[in-house]
């Protein structure tokens, strides 16, 4: 902490500096004839002769456009409003600045009927903007249904979104967050008919936006622009539906907008597997914060791993896939969202609650094929769970003066769950003759996690234009408790000494507390008009206390006998220092940042109970390069390179056995070294203004100088496995994705086609033998959306994933398979306010284990009848042929596993929907 005190003191000395080098200015835009303010007019400031926008703004209800923190200099001011002639002026700061600007209508028409014929897709700067009116959706559709119609946008079955080949991480409503960071809360709950425009953009980090130094941390973002007549008033939907086999779905969504103020509430429930949100809160936090993953208590990691019985590893998309629910789900969720902008305060806040009750029957078939060990493993069972998540997000951005602001963002989440599992298992030789083991396991786990964190960002502009200081402090507290009852009756055959019948009946209690603080300070110094130097110092500290107690059941039925082998009391703390220096500049169409960092990481751990100690030190150079080249307004090429290093997690270092699964015994490795990787990314985007066509290409490559993988020892006679993490070198993965969208006519019809390819090379160890796994995957996909007049819409989509996997020492495993997904949907609008919907969803798997190759065809239909302006009745049928089932393939170290789970079958649902709308009329 001593190392950063001088920097904090420096900031405190610089803050009182006299203002004057940068100013916040405003002007009022009005109609030249009637002097009425022009709300929605836009303004932008540019340096003469340069296309880069220095600042931009939009007029509020009074016609006021504000420009924040403008450095001294000469600029070109451009004012634009739909239907008016653009006005361009030369201005000087300080000096010549207009108090108000009057715009002249661009064209006056008399006795002429005007019919809107705006292009379905257009570019606004770096933003792709879709005109929502050109993409027809079904009655009572939500935003997710609208996004499925947009060329270049892909919505997966789990609700995740990709735009121009990149994962969408944020959804904004009129530039403001909606219910925190979960994009699907907005897309699955907001009505589509409130949306005027859908904007897709790459949003820079807050630090990059403030300092002007690109750090390469762009976030693919969708901004939902509401219709002008929806910005003042209230609106929403209420629905209730009942169906066969006890199915139900209903709820209410209410919104009140008044200019910059947004108030939204929702309360919904269903048992038709519609969650209304994405992956669990804990997994989202793990994806966003690597430090949290490194310092989670072992019990929390174990709980996450048991979601699908696999080790947590990989990118955010893979982790989200782990959390995707299987089986049948009864969901209830709701919350409140409030946003407002005052003169010196921007406020964002939300509370969200969700509860899931799940049940699932499953059967898994696994084939092990290794040089010295080959056998089959089968398990079947059922699970049930009741999991609850509550989260509160708040953010207040306070502007003290034109040069100094403070953003405070508290976050709190509480997760709790009660999950049970009853399963039977058996392993036998590859020829199916000899039985290796069998058994039955019953588990019941009760767990709770609490997270409280607050991010503070202090931003200050100094007197010299471009000179800035940013201080970021994030304290965090994480608490985990859990109880797991584990009863296993198993038999291991063919062991020396004859048959053994170990019985496990234990209670495991876990408790973990982690305190951490992350501090980062950045200083930016302009070297010239187009060149800046940025220096940064980061310090991270965490302190964790973990207590695991395992007790065996005694003769009287109580858990009073301590099991010293599986119990531990463990303390750990970590310190990380990262010093960073970057040079950033821009030259004509090229924007670039080149830098390097030096990171030192220390982890110390000790167990008074077992008497072992961990003291690991890690160091790494971390170079990085970011470059962005714009050939013109519609073509952009981005290059990124960076090196990263991350320390092992506490669970990976702690030499403590975890016998949660009697066949898979995990144990940490105190000798682990840090992971080091190099990441290279190249992306290209082009948009054709005249035709509305677009093309994208994206290549990613990651090479691991040092990685962490599993070393598995298998007892051939019993099938029991012992797993520890070890370091390896040479793992790599690469991917390439290319896509093109073609507009058909001017009514929103489009065709989108793409292809993606991935290659992964990973090294694991089985019985001390290195096993190199090479995986290839090629997936072409297409989406066709066609409008026949105003009353008929047909859309078709399809993808074909070809997968091939080869192991260096296990050639007997199935190597190739195909996964085909396809679907057709049609919407027909009839007279008398009736609409018909029909669609199919198909899934085919080829090349899997015997009995798992399958073709599923789901047929759905619905009819909606409007009653007046506010009511409608809807009857829908899901899976008319009753053909639904689930197929899932898991590839592991030396094995392939095919899984089947419970699914929601055929059902019919009758719903009543009420739309309420009230928008006060405004003066024209």
């Amino acid at each position: 902490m001593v190392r950063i005190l001088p920097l904090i003191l420096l900031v405190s000395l610089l803050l009182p500096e006299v203002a004057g080098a940068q100013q916040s200015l405003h002007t009022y835009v009005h109609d030249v004839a009637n002097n009425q303010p022009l709300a929605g007019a836009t303004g932008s400031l540019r340096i003469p002769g340069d296309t880069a926008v220095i600042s931009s703004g939009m007029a509020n209800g009074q016609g006021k456009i504000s420009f924040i923190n403008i450095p001294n200099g000469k600029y070109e001011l451009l004012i634009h409003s739909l239907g008016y002639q653009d006005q361009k002026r030369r201005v000087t700061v300080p000096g010549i600045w207009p108090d108000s600007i009057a715009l002249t209508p661009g064209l006056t028409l008399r006795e002429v009927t005007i019919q809107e014929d705006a292009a379905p897709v257009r570019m606004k700067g770096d933003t792709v903007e879709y005109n929502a009116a050109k993409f027809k959706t079904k009655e009572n559709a939500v935003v997710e249904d609208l996004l499925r119609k947009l060329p270049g946008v892909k919505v997966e079955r789990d609700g995740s979104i990709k735009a121009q080949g990149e994962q969408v991480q944020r959804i904004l409503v009129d530039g403001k967050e909606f219910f925190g960071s979960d994009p699907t809360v907005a897309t699955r709950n907001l009505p589509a008919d409130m949306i005027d425009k859908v904007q897709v953009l790459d949003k820079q980090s807050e630090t990059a936006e403030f300092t002007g130094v690109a750090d390469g941390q762009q976030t693919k973002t969708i901004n939902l622009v509401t219709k002008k007549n929806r910005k003042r008033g209230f609106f929403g939907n209420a629905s209730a539906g009942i169906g066969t086999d006890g199915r139900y779905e209903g709820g209410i969504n209410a919104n009140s907008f008044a200019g910059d103020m947004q108030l939204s509430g929702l309360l919904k429930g269903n048992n038709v597997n519609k969650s209304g949100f994405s992956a669990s809160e804990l997994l989202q936090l793990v994806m966003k914060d690597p430090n949290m993953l490194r310092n989670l208590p072992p019990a929390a990691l174990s709980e996450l791993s048991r979601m699908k019985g696999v080790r947590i590893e990989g990118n955010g998309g893979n982790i989200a896939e782990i959390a995707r629910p299987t089986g049948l789900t009864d969901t209830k969720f709701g919350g409140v969202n409030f946003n407002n902008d005052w003169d010196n305060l921007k406020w964002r806040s939300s509370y969200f609650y969700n509860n899931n009750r799940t049940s699932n029957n499953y059967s898994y078939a696994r084939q092990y094929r290794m040089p010295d060990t080959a056998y089959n493993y089968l398990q079947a069972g059922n699970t049930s769970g009741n999991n609850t998540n509550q989260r509160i997000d708040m953010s207040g951005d306070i502007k003290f003066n034109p040069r100094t602001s403070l953003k405070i963002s508290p976050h709190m989440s509480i997760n709790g769950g009660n999950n049970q599992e009853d399963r039977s298992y058996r392993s036998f030789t590859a020829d199916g003759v000899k039985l290796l083991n069998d058994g039955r396991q019953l588990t019941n786990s009760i767990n709770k996690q609490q997270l409280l964190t607050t991010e503070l960002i202090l931003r200050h502009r100094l007197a010299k234009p471009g000179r800035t200081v940013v201080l970021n402090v994030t304290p965090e507290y994480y608490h985990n408790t859990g109880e797991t009852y584990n009863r296993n009756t198993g038999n291991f055959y063919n062991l020396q000494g004859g048959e053994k019948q170990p019985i496990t009946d234990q209670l495991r209690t876990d408790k973990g507390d982690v305190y951490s603080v992350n501090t980062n300070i950045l200083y930016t110094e302009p070297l010239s008009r187009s060149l800046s130097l940025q220096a940064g110092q980061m310090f991270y500290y965490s302190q964790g206390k973990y207590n695991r107690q395992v007790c065996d059941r005694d003769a009287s039925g109580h858990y009073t006998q301590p099991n010293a082998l599986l119990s531990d009391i463990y303390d750990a703390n970590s310190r990380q220092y990262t010093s960073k220096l970057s040079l950033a500049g821009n030259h004509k169409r090229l924007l670039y940042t080149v830098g390097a960092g030096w990171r030192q990481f220390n982890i110390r751990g000790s167990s008074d109970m077992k008497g072992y100690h961990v003291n690991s030190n890690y160091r790494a150079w971390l170079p990085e390069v970011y470059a962005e080249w714009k050939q013109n307004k519609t073509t952009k090429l981005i290059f990124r390179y960076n090196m990263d290093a991350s320390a092992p997690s506490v669970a990976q270092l702690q030499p403590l056995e975890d016998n949660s699964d009697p066949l898979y015994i995990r144990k940490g490795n105190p000798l682990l070294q840090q992971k080091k990787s190099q990441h290279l990314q190249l992306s290209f985007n082009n948009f054709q203004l005249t035709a509305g066509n677009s093309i994208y290409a994206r290549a990613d490559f990651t090479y691991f100088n040092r990685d962490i993988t599993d070393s598995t020892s298998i007892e051939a006679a019993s099938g029991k496995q012992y797993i520890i993490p070890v370091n390896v070198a040479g793992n790599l993965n690469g991917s390439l994705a290319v896509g093109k969208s073609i507009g058909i006519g001017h009514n929103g019809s489009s065709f989108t086609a793409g292809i993606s390819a991935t290659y992964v090379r990973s090294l694991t160890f089985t019985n001390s033998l290195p096993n190199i796994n090479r995986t290839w995957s090629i997936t072409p996909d297409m989406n066709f959306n066609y409008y026949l007049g105003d009353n008929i819409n047909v859309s078709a989509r399809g993808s074909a994933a070809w997968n091939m996997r080869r192991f260096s020492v296990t050639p007997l495993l199935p190597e190739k398979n195909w996964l085909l997904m396809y679907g057709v949907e049609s919407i027909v609008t009839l007279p008398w306010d009736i609409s018909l919907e029909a669609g199919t969803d198909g899934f085919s798997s080829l090349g899997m284990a015997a009995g798992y190759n399958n073709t599923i065809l789901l047929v759905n239909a619905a009819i909606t009848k409007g009653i007046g302006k506010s009511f409608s009745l809807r009857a829908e049928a899901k899976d008319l042929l009753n053909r639904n089932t689930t197929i899932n393939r898991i590839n592991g170290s030396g094995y392939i596993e095919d899984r089947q789970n419970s699914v929601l079958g055929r059902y019919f649902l009758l719903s009543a929907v009420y739309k309420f709308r009230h928008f006060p009329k405004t003066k024209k």
Side-chain angles (χ1 to χ4, degrees), residues 810-825:
T810 55
L812 299 178
L813 282 170
E815 294 183 342
K816 303 175 183 178
N817 68 76
W818 283 89
L819 298 176
L820 312 179
M821 290 184 287
Y822 40 90
V824 178
E825 182 185 71

Side-chain angles (χ1 to χ4, degrees), residues 6-17 460 462:
L7 293 174
I8 297 176
L9 180 60
L10 173 64
V11 175
S12 65
L13 293 174
L14 293 173
L15 287 179
E17 191 168 331
H460 180 66
L462 287 83

